[in-house]
Amino acid sequence: MIRKIYLALLVTILAAGALSAQNVDFHLNGMGFFDNREYKDFVARSRTYSGVRIAADVGFNIDSNNHFIFGANALHEFGGNPFFVRVNPVAYYGYTGKNWLFNAGAFSREGLLTDYPRAMLNDTLRYFRPNVEGLLTRFKSNHLTETVWIDWVSRQTNTDREQFLFGFSGKYQPSLNSPFYVSHYFFLLHDAGAAILLSNDHIQDNGAAQVKIGADLSHSTFLDSLSIEAGGMLSLERTRGVGGFQKPKGFVANAYLSYKRFALFDEFYKGDGHRILFGDAFYEKSTYNRLDIIYTPFIAKGLKGQFVFSLHNTPGYSSNQEAFRLIYDIGRKNLVKFKD
């Protein structure tokens, strides 16, 4: 009965959107991935992620700024049964203006939050949590980009916890003639109990922040791209009613360079160990260095295929990771245009 009501409501919304839209378009994108992780530091996390994600949606465009978009993002893990082990609905209102972007609903995180450092939001979210479910707004000008968002992870029921992520990030470049800029990232997980409280259950907060000074030196060398960043990292962890915030901190730095189809990305951390629930576990260590060796053999319009060989080094351990990712996006294709 509930499914019939949901389908009827969805058909009504789609019909209403079609009647009021100036045009209707279609969007298809996806990612194939093979990611083998041999983690000597974390034997339980040494595993292989492999599969394909396919996302398709239909957009009802009221005008050039206002859009209603409906679709689905489906995951097939190779060897998994049933074929699509997870399907995430896509349903949101989007506003796109000269300087502002605003999304409300369930929409892809790709290109919106995927620039977060892996120390804070790990890269497996691209495989298993592709959507933001909540709100996001972004302001962008020549000098400043700022994004604020909230992502609802779990709605409270008698047995399910209430969990949501809140964050903001941005980049400020004082002078367009200078290579220097300042970037910052922040997020906090609010983790509350179920409606029926368990004994000794407490509200928890867990998050992190980074502030870095960077320089884009791409135009000063023969390389296609060269950038360096360095700054500080802080994590926040609190169990309410038990104690105050724990605030581990440390130094972070990274460098990226590319030439034609080859690239190197190195990130370094030194400081206190962190326990960031959505972050990369390697940052639990006091010293960590990761080197990505990247080769991109497949490049076409809307398509990129990359091999990435990663070396992870922590005190007493050296681990490795091999990954291949094929990302494709055909862009938005117009289906129907209505006359006024």
Side-chain angles (χ1 to χ4, degrees):
M1 182 65 180
I2 295 176
R3 180 177 296 180
K4 290 181 179 179
I5 294 173
Y6 172 79
L7 290 175
L9 179 61
L10 180 60
V11 170
T12 302
I13 294 173
L14 292 176
L19 289 174
S20 61
Q22 286 191 351
N23 72 291
V24 178
D25 57 25
F26 174 75
H27 186 209
L28 176 69
N29 67 95
M31 173 176 63
F33 58 91
F34 178 87
D35 191 338
N36 179 60
R37 305 182 177 195
E38 302 293 340
Y39 291 170
K40 297 181 179 65
D41 313 61
F42 309 100
V43 176
R45 303 189 185 192
S46 294
R47 58 160 299 179
T48 300
Y49 302 101
S50 60
V52 60
R53 272 206 171 273
I54 301 174
D57 63 63
V58 176
F60 300 93
N61 304 299
I62 308 305
D63 51 37
S64 60
N65 301 120
N66 298 281
H67 321 277
F68 291 95
I69 298 172
F70 304 92
N73 190 325
L75 169 67
H76 170 65
E77 290 189 83
F78 296 144
N81 187 30
F83 187 85
F84 287 125
V85 294
R86 187 175 304 171
V87 178
N88 297 95
V90 175
Y92 68 100
Y93 162 78
Y95 173 86
T96 54
K98 180 181 178 181
N99 299 110
W100 287 94
L101 177 146
F102 175 76
N103 287 344
F107 51 91
S108 174
R109 72 173 59 247
E110 193 72 25
L112 297 174
L113 299 181
T114 44
D115 65 332
Y116 262 74
R118 285 177 289 215
M120 300 173 67
L121 297 177
N122 69 70
D123 48 11
T124 57
L125 292 173
R126 299 179 70 185
Y127 305 153
F128 301 110
R129 187 172 170 77
N131 290 346
V132 174
E133 297 186 16
L135 304 171
L136 181 145
T137 186
R138 169 175 289 179
F139 173 80
K140 186 173 184 178
S141 68
N142 290 333
H143 295 275
L144 175 68
T145 300
E146 190 69 28
T147 302
V148 181
W149 54 278
I150 184 169
D151 182 10
W152 216 269
V153 178
S154 176
R155 183 181 68 85
Q156 187 180 63
T157 68
N158 287 340
T159 56
D160 295 326
R161 301 180 68 84
E162 177 186 75
Q163 297 176 323
F164 62 84
L165 297 165
F166 163 76
F168 55 85
S169 63
K171 178 179 176 181
Y172 175 62
Q173 186 171 3
S175 172
L176 300 181
N177 297 320
S178 170
F180 297 101
Y181 60 87
V182 178
S183 64
H184 65 273
Y185 303 89
F186 170 84
F187 90 94
L188 189 69
L189 168 68
H190 173 79
D191 181 7
I196 300 177
L197 291 176
L198 301 176
S199 61
N200 298 321
D201 193 3
H202 301 274
I203 297 174
Q204 298 184 50
D205 300 295
N206 183 278
Q210 284 192 16
V211 178
K212 295 183 285 188
I213 297 175
D216 186 348
L217 305 173
S218 304
H219 300 295
S220 304
T221 72
F222 68 93
L223 299 170
D224 295 327
S225 180
L226 174 63
S227 63
I228 55 175
E229 296 180 332
M233 176 174 170
L234 168 75
S235 65
L236 301 166
E237 184 179 1
R238 175 178 65 169
T239 301
R240 300 189 193 182
V242 176
F245 272 112
Q246 302 297 312
K247 303 174 183 177
K249 46 188 161 300
F251 170 78
V252 289
N254 55 267
Y256 176 81
L257 64 88
S258 67
Y259 181 70
K260 296 185 178 180
R261 294 177 183 265
F262 291 91
L264 297 175
F265 180 68
D266 189 87
E267 54 184 308
F268 173 78
Y269 174 75
K270 181 68 175 179
D272 301 324
H274 300 270
R275 181 179 173 272
I276 305 171
L277 297 180
F278 277 78
D280 194 319
F282 278 104
Y283 285 82
E284 295 177 9
K285 307 294 185 177
S286 60
T287 303
Y288 171 54
N289 190 85
R290 171 175 178 156
L291 174 63
D292 291 341
I293 303 170
I294 306 165
Y295 174 55
T296 308
F298 308 116
I299 304 176
K301 184 178 180 181
L303 182 146
K304 178 185 288 187
Q306 285 187 329
F307 289 98
V308 183
F309 177 64
S310 302
L311 295 171
H312 307 267
N313 288 284
T314 61
Y317 294 96
S318 179
S319 300
N320 59 279
Q321 177 180 350
E322 304 81 35
F324 174 73
R325 301 181 186 92
L326 181 69
I327 301 171
Y328 55 91
D329 191 332
I330 69 168
R332 305 209 72 89
K333 304 297 182 182
N334 190 57
L335 292 178
V336 181
K337 184 174 183 179
F338 299 101
K339 296 181 179 179
D340 292 335

